[in-house]
Amino acid sequence: MQFLLAFIVAAPLLGAAAALLPAPPGLKGRSPEQAVLRHGVTVTGVILAAAIALALGFDHDAPARFQATTDISWIQALNVRIHLGVDGISLPLLLMTALLFFLCALYSYFKLPEGPSPKAFIALLLVLESGTLATFAVLDLLLFFLAFEMVLIPMYFLIARWGRSEGVAGSASARGGGRETGGRQAAAWKFILYTLLGSVVMLLGLLLIGLNSGTFDMVALASDNGRELSRTTQLLAVLAIGTGLAVKTPMWPLHSWLPDAHTAAPTVGSVLLAGVLLKMGTYGFVRILIPVTPDGMAAFAPYLGAFAAVGIVYGSLACLALARKGGKGDLKRLIAYSSVGHMGFVLLGIASMTPTGVNGALFANIAHGLITGLLFFLVGALKDRYGTADLDTLAGATGAALYGRAPRLGALLAFAAVASLGLPGLAGFWGEMLALFGAFDPAGGLPRPAFLTYTAVGAFGTLLTAAYLLIVVRRVCMGDPKAGPELAVADVQRYEFAAWTPLAALTVLAGLWPAVLLGLTDPAVQKLLAGGTS
């Protein structure tokens, strides 16, 4: 178990280095390009298999205890240790991350995005995987920061070099001229500048905690439950660390980098950005701020809840504006704005600081990763088939009517949409419902009237979410396929079925059997909120 977790974190880096080397003569296949793409599928597949083996070996009777731990000294002068471990909170995120990277590598094997060398693409993908897996596995504050930052450069290059600028606000193509790469490079710079500036502030908060408490060990800090930190120190730490985490989540109003990044990113980049990278921010709130700085978190929780509630409604209204006829809304951009709303529910559950709310936030994290990952896969397929993701074009000039032209693709898009709106029986329902229940009855000491208001706003947001997603389904999937020009639209291909079916199946499984996930997270959350004492 100890070896498995260390292997899961380190193997992608070794795979990235190997991807840049020439393929052995017997493994080149039809071309060097095919060899490196097969290498990406193999490495991510092995990591997924190791993650599944880790889950099977995990002691499910003690999910509140860190397991598969490694704890060795690294920088003695700063008391920094290479400390790894997983519990019921981090294990589901680790599994989902390994799954999404494998599916993205498999999808890229058949549908590689246009761009420079495939070797560089696979190497960047594997470095990105190592950083995200490490974020969910490390138990040292400085290691957490390093892993948190490790994902920035790979994602920047995936957007800037393999992305597409169509639909990006302010892009050269949108302005009617200039270089086609202008929009995607601007989106990539916006992504890295926002997240890097947030991370600098976060580092100051992490150093403040470590230097005042005498340790950077997250387990020891959580067990101490903030007793070694003064209230002023906790307030400053929450403000600094919370800002960096809020940018990555992203929380309104620090979200403006997200729509451009999603719109410009290649399909697999959007899947990973929504399915994995956004979860790093919310995970930090749960793993660091709630147990380490409980007093500071309680002081800022009402404000966090307010921002979350506004984000829920704001994201939904932005999606409604993009979905309306004549709005020239890009479908990828619409789903990006929907993530602002969905992550608002996650933040609202965290702000309640109750077991119900935090469990709901963790459940919504996983549900959003599965459902939005599937949505971005489907929209990428639409863009490949029609040459655009513009909603008016899909609904009008092309006469999309997917139910008639490509029935399986249309059915999957409708399924993902109703899962995203929180239909009971699917994964999207439980997280949002539990987050609202947590906000309805927040932790003692928090202002209940304010949280009741947030609950009402969040419930209204669920209606707006249903409205824009049903509008999208009606405009894209329904209608007379003969109304538009005769276009040969391929239905779902075999490799697409292979990449998308696990996400759809897990969405149904999590919706029908939520106890599988909640049974892992609840004991760990109970211990975390109790300061490590139960």
Side-chain angles (χ1 to χ4, degrees), residues 97-111:
T97 299
L99 173 64
L100 285 175
F101 272 94
F102 171 69
L103 297 180
C104 285
L106 180 65
Y107 188 83
S108 299
Y109 180 83
F110 296 95
K111 192 70 177 178

Side-chain angles (χ1 to χ4, degrees), residues 144-182:
F144 176 86
F145 176 77
L146 292 176
F148 201 82
E149 295 304 287
M150 187 176 169
V151 305
L152 297 186
I153 300 302
M155 183 54 72
Y156 167 81
F157 281 109
L158 287 176
I159 295 172
R161 304 303 298 276
W162 282 270
R164 291 181 284 189
S165 63
E166 180 192 353
V168 180
S171 69
S173 59
R175 293 192 300 268
R179 293 184 304 164
E180 194 271 337
T181 57

Side-chain angles (χ1 to χ4, degrees), residues 2-23:
Q2 182 184 24
F3 168 78
L4 275 177
L5 184 58
F7 174 81
I8 288 168
V9 172
L13 285 179
L14 300 176
L20 298 175
L21 300 175

Side-chain angles (χ1 to χ4, degrees), residues 26-109:
L27 298 177
K28 285 185 178 179
R30 293 191 299 270
S31 68
E33 176 180 303
Q34 186 198 42
V36 74
L37 294 175
R38 185 169 61 238
H39 171 78
V41 175
T42 302
V43 173
T44 55
V46 169
I47 294 165
L48 175 60
I52 293 172
L54 181 70
L56 293 175
F58 187 82
D59 184 359
H60 291 262
D61 293 327
R65 175 172 56 86
F66 285 104
Q67 302 178 36
T69 56
T70 297
D71 188 8
I72 57 177
S73 179
W74 183 35
I75 306 176
Q76 291 185 354
L78 296 175
N79 195 23
V80 178
R81 307 183 67 81
I82 298 178
H83 194 181
L84 306 177
V86 291
D87 64 352
I89 292 173
S90 54
L91 181 63
L93 289 166
L94 207 71
L95 282 168
M96 184 180 71
T97 299
L99 173 64
L100 285 175
F101 272 94
F102 171 69
L103 297 180
C104 285
L106 180 65
Y107 188 83
S108 299
Y109 180 83

Side-chain angles (χ1 to χ4, degrees), residues 153-440:
I153 300 302
M155 183 54 72
Y156 167 81
F157 281 109
L158 287 176
I159 295 172
R161 304 303 298 276
W162 282 270
R164 291 181 284 189
S165 63
E166 180 192 353
V168 180
S171 69
S173 59
R175 293 192 300 268
R179 293 184 304 164
E180 194 271 337
T181 57
R184 68 192 189 199
Q185 289 182 347
W189 273 112
K190 197 172 185 180
F191 159 76
I192 200 168
L193 287 175
Y194 264 76
T195 51
L196 190 59
L197 288 173
S199 297
V200 169
V201 179
M202 184 176 75
L203 176 60
L204 297 176
L206 296 174
L207 292 174
L208 182 65
I209 290 175
L211 296 176
N212 277 273
S213 60
T215 180
F216 290 98
D217 188 85
M218 293 160 66
V219 178
L221 288 167
S223 299
D224 184 70
N225 203 219
R227 284 182 285 271
E228 293 294 326
L229 302 173
S230 68
R231 179 175 172 82
T232 301
T233 300
Q234 290 194 36
L235 290 173
L236 291 173
V238 171
L239 184 62
I241 298 171
T243 299
L245 297 174
V247 171
K248 186 65 73 74
T249 296
M251 179 186 77
W252 179 92
L254 303 175
H255 69 283
S256 59
W257 62 269
L258 183 70
D260 283 351
H262 267 308
T263 307
T267 297
V268 295
S270 293
V271 171
L272 296 174
L273 185 57
V276 180
L277 267 68
L278 302 189
K279 311 306 176 285
M280 296 166 66
T282 52
Y283 175 76
F285 277 102
V286 175
R287 177 64 74 203
I288 299 173
L289 293 185
I290 289 181
V292 177
T293 57
D295 294 338
M297 189 64 186
F300 279 103
Y303 305 102
L304 179 62
F307 285 126
V310 172
I312 292 170
V313 175
Y314 171 84
S316 298
L317 291 177
C319 290
L320 279 172
L322 291 170
R324 77 179 192 278
K325 188 175 182 179
K328 287 293 179 183
D330 186 277
L331 199 48
K332 286 188 74 176
R333 196 172 187 85
L334 184 147
I335 298 171
Y337 272 111
S338 77
S339 292
V340 177
H342 288 305
M343 298 312 288
F345 283 102
V346 177
L347 291 173
L348 183 59
I350 293 170
S352 73
M353 296 186 68
T354 62
T356 301
V358 175
N359 275 304
L362 294 171
F363 198 104
N365 253 350
I366 300 298
H368 179 265
L370 297 173
I371 297 168
T372 308
L374 179 58
L375 276 170
F376 275 118
F377 268 134
L378 293 167
V379 174
L382 279 177
K383 196 167 185 175
D384 291 335
R385 286 160 169 78
Y386 286 103
T388 182
D390 180 77
L391 193 53
D392 285 341
T393 304
L394 290 175
T398 63
L402 280 180
Y403 288 155
R405 291 177 177 269
R408 289 178 292 182
L409 183 59
L412 275 171
L413 181 62
F415 167 82
V418 297
S420 184
L421 64 82
L423 184 73
L426 298 176
F429 171 74
W430 295 105
E432 294 182 3
M433 184 194 71
L434 291 173
L436 290 175
F437 280 178
F440 182 78

